[in-house]
Amino acid sequence: MKRQSVFPGILFIGVGLFFLLHQFNIPYVDQFLSWPSILLVLGFAFLLQSYMNKDYGSLFPGTLLLLLGIHFHMLSFLSTWPSHWSMYTCIVGISFLHVYAKTKKDGLLPAIILLVISALGFFSGGVVSWFQSITTILERFWPLFLIALGIYLLFKRK
């Protein structure tokens, strides 16, 4: 017998706690009650749905939303947290990697590609001088590479 969906229950509990804590104005908790916390609640609800029902269709959005929530919180709390565009490709790559780690069938190729793009983006700041000319070209044309990869994945034979 398939278990009932836990997503709505977790979502209502999380959003209710968010607004209840917001009303109390607790000094240190109040700084965490911002819009990235809603992303954390949504991501957590998707992940619980995925793991409790052993239905891994919610694993990618759960991981993505949770990591985005963490990223945006860290941007506001740590001045040294990277705000480079490659953080977003890294977050999506980690989300694909999480799906692959759990299912062992989908997500490995996009994860590797996005994590390599992220690494190239992080290194494009001039860490290695000869590498900078290559990354300049990649920064300009990497969206075309993603479009070509997407078209390939849509039309490849299984």
Side-chain angles (χ1 to χ4, degrees):
M1 182 162 127
K2 190 168 180 165
R3 293 185 66 175
Q4 188 176 5
S5 175
V6 296
F7 181 77
I10 297 297
L11 186 62
F12 283 129
I13 291 169
V15 172
L17 281 172
F18 175 83
F19 287 113
L20 182 66
L21 289 171
H22 199 46
Q23 289 179 352
F24 287 137
N25 292 326
I26 301 171
Y28 294 108
V29 174
D30 199 38
Q31 63 188 356
F32 289 101
L33 297 177
S34 58
W35 67 269
S37 297
I38 298 293
L39 294 178
L40 291 173
V41 168
L42 283 169
F44 187 68
F46 274 119
L47 287 175
L48 276 180
Q49 168 73 25
S50 181
Y51 280 107
M52 290 181 77
N53 289 344
K54 294 183 177 26
D55 176 23
Y56 301 118
S58 301
L59 198 58
F60 180 81
T63 307
L64 182 69
L65 289 170
L66 188 72
L67 290 176
L68 283 172
I70 291 170
H71 171 66
F72 289 124
H73 269 302
M74 297 306 281
L75 280 174
S76 63
F77 293 127
L78 290 176
S79 61
T80 58
W81 191 260
S83 61
H84 196 264
W85 62 264
S86 57
M87 277 300 292
Y88 301 107
T89 55
C90 183
I91 288 170
V92 175
I94 291 171
S95 300
F96 274 117
L97 196 60
H98 187 205
V99 169
Y100 176 75
K102 198 65 184 164
T103 64
K104 298 293 186 222
K105 56 182 175 177
D106 292 327
L108 183 61
L109 181 62
I112 291 171
I113 290 169
L114 287 169
L115 291 173
V116 166
I117 289 171
S118 297
L120 292 173
F122 281 126
F123 286 118
S124 70
V127 174
V128 181
S129 60
W130 63 268
F131 193 65
Q132 193 167 3
S133 62
I134 296 171
T135 56
T136 303
I137 293 169
L138 289 175
E139 277 185 352
R140 180 171 291 196
F141 295 110
W142 73 269
L144 293 175
F145 176 71
L146 291 179
I147 291 168
L149 178 65
I151 291 170
Y152 169 75
L153 291 174
L154 282 176
F155 295 108
K156 80 172 189 170
R157 303 267 182 211
K158 291 189 177 196

